[in-house]
Amino acid sequence: MLFHGIYSVILLIFSNVFMTFAWYGHLKMRQEFSWFAALPLIGVIAFSWAIAFFEYCLQVPANRLGFKDSGGPFDIMQLKVIQEVITLAVFTLFSVWAFKTELKWNHLAAFLCLVLAVYFVFKK
């Protein structure tokens, strides 16, 4: 059961990397590559869907492995809150790396609130 939880979190991290690139990577690619900037919106959507396919290939098993009714350690609310914290962490790293986003106090305060959400969702 412990390994199911660990594998679930690892798969969620990797799925969120793909998700972040699918949802926001096209914005950076538009800046970097003229051929990509010239794509019509339907082409950008198809490109993003191609990346998102791999997100789903990791997200679905992550949820299956982690969910209590499938032998994992997490209930549905815990899985969702874990996923949201991972999403924010991956997105934050991506935005700082790709878009040179400056983290401000309110960004860190919002992240702290999500970490507190994890605490409360696991509180018995």
Side-chain angles (χ1 to χ4, degrees):
M1 189 153 111
L2 173 65
F3 288 114
H4 282 220
I6 292 168
Y7 291 142
S8 178
V9 169
I10 291 169
L11 288 171
L12 285 172
I13 291 168
F14 284 109
S15 77
N16 275 278
V17 169
F18 282 105
M19 180 191 75
T20 300
F21 276 96
W23 286 16
Y24 303 103
H26 64 91
L27 300 173
K28 184 65 176 175
M29 289 187 68
R30 184 177 187 185
Q31 293 175 351
E32 299 290 324
F33 304 106
S34 58
W35 66 267
F36 196 84
L39 281 178
L41 184 56
I42 192 69
V44 175
I45 291 169
F47 183 84
S48 291
W49 275 4
I51 296 170
F53 169 79
F54 296 102
E55 174 213 347
Y56 279 84
C57 288
L58 297 170
Q59 179 81 20
V60 171
N63 287 332
R64 282 236 175 176
L65 281 172
F67 187 50
K68 272 187 177 171
D69 290 354
S70 299
F74 308 121
D75 66 35
I76 194 73
M77 291 299 288
Q78 291 169 334
L79 262 175
K80 183 59 180 170
V81 171
I82 291 167
Q83 190 273 332
E84 291 300 332
V85 170
I86 291 170
T87 296
L88 182 62
V90 169
F91 175 77
T92 300
L93 292 172
F94 175 79
S95 67
V96 167
W97 170 71
F99 290 93
K100 310 300 183 231
T101 301
E102 179 184 334
L103 292 181
K104 298 180 180 163
W105 74 267
N106 57 326
H107 301 141
L108 299 175
F111 192 74
L112 176 62
C113 289
L114 277 175
V115 171
L116 287 172
V118 171
Y119 170 77
F120 286 119
V121 83
F122 279 91
K123 188 92 171 126
K124 300 287 181 205

